[in-house]
Amino acid sequence: EIGLLVNLQELNVNSCSLRSLPDAMVGCARLTRLYMFGNKFSRVPPVVAELRALEWLNLNHNRLKSLPEELCQNLDNLTELALSHNQLSSLPTSFHHLQRLSVLDISFNRFSELPEPVLQLAHLSSLEMKGNRLTKLP
């Protein structure tokens, strides 16, 4: 099982038609980069929130409608988060816990305004929001 790869630092499962990830992935405790682009995730697999070493997470081109609070509470090493081309219209209130986040891509979702938690990310240096339903900026 994949959890036996205890030294794995990068995993790319782009375009694999995945809908879930095995809970055994929690054994990949050194994983810093996880690429999950172009799959069929309707929710973020719970095990992702347990991968506390993650610095880069790509969930572009999936079917996400929301993010779990646990993802934001647990992944405090995250510096880059890619969520474009999903169905997000809001972010969890705990999103502001991602204080190391410097790059955020929430392009081509369903946001009608800049999510309030984003304004609390002091280290954010790049914000992509194109292709949303924005009518104004705060």
Side-chain angles (χ1 to χ4, degrees):
E1 69 189 18
I2 195 155
L4 297 175
L5 300 174
V6 296
N7 290 311
L8 191 66
Q9 293 181 8
E10 184 172 315
L11 177 62
N12 185 328
V13 291
N14 289 345
S15 303
C16 289
S17 297
L18 294 173
R19 295 178 195 274
S20 65
L21 292 177
D23 291 339
M25 270 189 68
V26 74
C28 302
R30 293 186 180 166
L31 197 64
T32 58
R33 292 180 174 262
L34 180 55
Y35 302 90
M36 299 165 53
F37 175 102
N39 281 285
K40 296 180 179 179
F41 294 108
S42 58
R43 65 185 183 97
V44 179
V47 71
V48 174
E50 301 304 318
L51 300 171
R52 296 175 186 259
L54 277 184
E55 297 171 4
W56 210 108
L57 178 58
N58 185 325
L59 285 160
N60 290 342
H61 288 272
N62 277 285
R63 300 173 180 172
L64 303 176
K65 293 182 180 170
S66 65
L67 295 179
E69 294 282 343
E70 299 80 22
L71 185 81
C72 305
Q73 293 167 348
N74 295 350
L75 299 184
D76 52 10
N77 287 313
L78 207 59
T79 59
E80 298 184 34
L81 179 57
L83 296 166
S84 74
H85 295 88
N86 279 289
Q87 300 168 23
L88 300 170
S89 59
S90 65
L91 295 174
T93 55
S94 61
F95 198 81
H96 71 277
H97 287 285
L98 299 174
Q99 283 300 305
R100 291 189 179 158
L101 202 63
S102 61
V103 176
L104 175 61
D105 186 354
I106 52 175
S107 300
F108 299 99
N109 275 284
R110 297 180 177 171
F111 294 101
S112 58
E113 61 185 13
L114 180 65
E116 187 69 31
V118 172
L119 299 173
Q120 299 173 33
L121 300 174
H123 291 96
L124 196 64
S125 61
S126 175
L127 174 61
E128 292 280 344
M129 288 194 65
K130 61 186 171 275
N132 278 286
R133 302 172 181 168
L134 301 177
T135 56
K136 65 177 181 170
L137 290 175

